[in-house]
């Protein structure tokens, strides 16, 4: 059976706000505790809704998890798109923001989307597909900026911006995992900087990106 969630377009403004509050609460609890340890009762209490309200928007935990996956993917994609990675300066600022956020929480939790993928991929094919789609959208957001840099001649000759975007995303996931287990963001910072150095990213003055 295909799981679906109630789309915000079908709801009143009040309904959209209530649904968003439930998803926000679920995302926070799953981030802190994991999928298995988070119950619908936990979410109900955290979101301050009744059982009837919760089940009005989500028939079961699986539907709610799907909504959390899409919620986390949307946040990451929107943040990356808003960073406008089409200049070396904005790319450096985005890198620094990612590292600073991980540092502020001491690496805890890893990547919100990657953590969901690792928990769900082997037993929940529908959620796995949603995580994969989220990573695809995230890679596309990175690709747009890197394509612009490539058109400006800010990448080394022979570097494919689309391949570089996938490499950066993979490096980001690995770096966040290392930061999580070591409680230290130095592996993350080193990984991202190494990728950008190897790609030959230069700023508007033609200098290597720092």
């Amino acid at each position: 059976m295909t799981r679906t969630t109630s789309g915000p377009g079908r709801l009143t403004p009040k309904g959209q706000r209530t649904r968003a509050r439930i998803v926000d609460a679920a995302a926070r609890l799953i981030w802190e505790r994991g999928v298995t340890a988070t119950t619908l009762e936990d979410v109900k209490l955290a979101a301050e809704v009744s059982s009837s309200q919760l089940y009005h928007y989500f028939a079961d935990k699986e539907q709610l998890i799907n909504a959390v996956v899409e919620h986390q993917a949307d946040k990451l994609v929107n943040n990356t798109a808003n960073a406008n990675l089409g200049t070396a300066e904005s790319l450096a600022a985005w890198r620094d923001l990612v590292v600073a956020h991980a540092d502020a929480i001491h690496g805890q939790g890893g990547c919100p989307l990657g953590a969901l993928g690792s928990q769900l991929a082997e037993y929940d094919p529908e959620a796995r597909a949603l995580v994969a789609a989220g990573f695809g959208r995230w890679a596309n957001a990175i690709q747009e900026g890197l394509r612009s840099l490539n058109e400006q001649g800010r990448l080394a000759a022979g570097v494919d911006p689309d391949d570089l975007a996938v490499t950066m995303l993979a490096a980001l996931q690995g770096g966040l995992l290392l930061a999580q287990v070591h409680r230290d963001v130095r592996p993350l910072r080193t990984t991202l900087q190494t990728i950008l150095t190897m790609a030959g990213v230069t700023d508007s003055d033609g200098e290597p990106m720092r």
Side-chain angles (χ1 to χ4, degrees):
M1 180 181 295
T2 300
R3 300 195 306 252
T4 59
T5 58
S6 300
R10 304 174 185 176
L11 306 175
T12 65
K14 181 179 179 181
Q16 292 180 35
R17 290 192 296 272
T18 301
R19 183 182 185 277
R21 191 166 76 250
I22 294 169
V23 175
D24 285 342
R28 184 175 68 256
L29 291 174
I30 289 173
W31 171 262
E32 294 170 353
R33 307 176 184 179
V35 171
T36 302
T38 300
T39 68
L40 290 180
E41 183 66 20
D42 295 332
V43 175
K44 184 185 75 172
L45 294 174
E48 298 181 343
V49 296
S50 65
S51 295
S52 60
Q53 284 177 302
L54 180 61
Y55 286 105
H56 174 72
Y57 299 105
F58 303 102
D60 50 34
K61 184 176 178 180
E62 286 72 24
Q63 281 194 1
L64 180 55
I65 291 171
N66 279 358
V68 169
V69 170
E70 294 178 329
H71 168 78
Q72 298 289 29
D74 286 345
K75 285 175 58 178
L76 293 168
V77 171
N78 291 338
N79 288 342
T80 302
N82 291 336
N84 185 24
L85 306 184
T87 69
E89 292 75 14
S90 60
L91 182 59
W94 175 75
R95 174 205 60 199
D96 293 344
L97 183 64
V98 169
V99 173
H101 175 72
D103 192 27
I105 60 175
H106 308 293
Q108 291 180 321
C111 171
L113 190 59
L116 285 167
S118 65
Q119 294 176 70
L120 298 167
E122 301 307 325
Y123 74 88
D124 190 331
E126 291 186 45
R128 182 197 58 77
L130 285 174
V131 173
F135 274 124
R137 292 195 290 124
W138 195 4
N140 288 339
I142 298 172
Q143 284 169 357
E144 289 184 11
L146 296 182
R147 287 171 184 169
S148 179
L149 282 172
N150 190 51
E151 290 168 0
Q152 299 166 45
R154 302 299 176 194
L155 299 182
V159 173
D160 185 300
D162 291 354
D163 290 344
L164 178 58
V166 174
T167 303
M168 282 188 62
L169 188 53
L172 176 60
Q173 292 304 301
L176 285 169
L177 177 59
L178 290 175
Q180 180 182 12
V181 297
H182 289 294
R183 293 294 192 259
D184 185 344
V185 297
R186 282 179 292 181
L188 172 62
R189 183 186 297 112
T190 299
T191 298
L192 292 178
Q193 182 56 46
T194 299
I195 292 295
L196 296 173
T197 299
M198 293 178 67
V201 180
T202 58
D203 62 21
S204 55
D205 295 322
E207 297 296 323
M209 194 183 99
R210 300 296 181 187

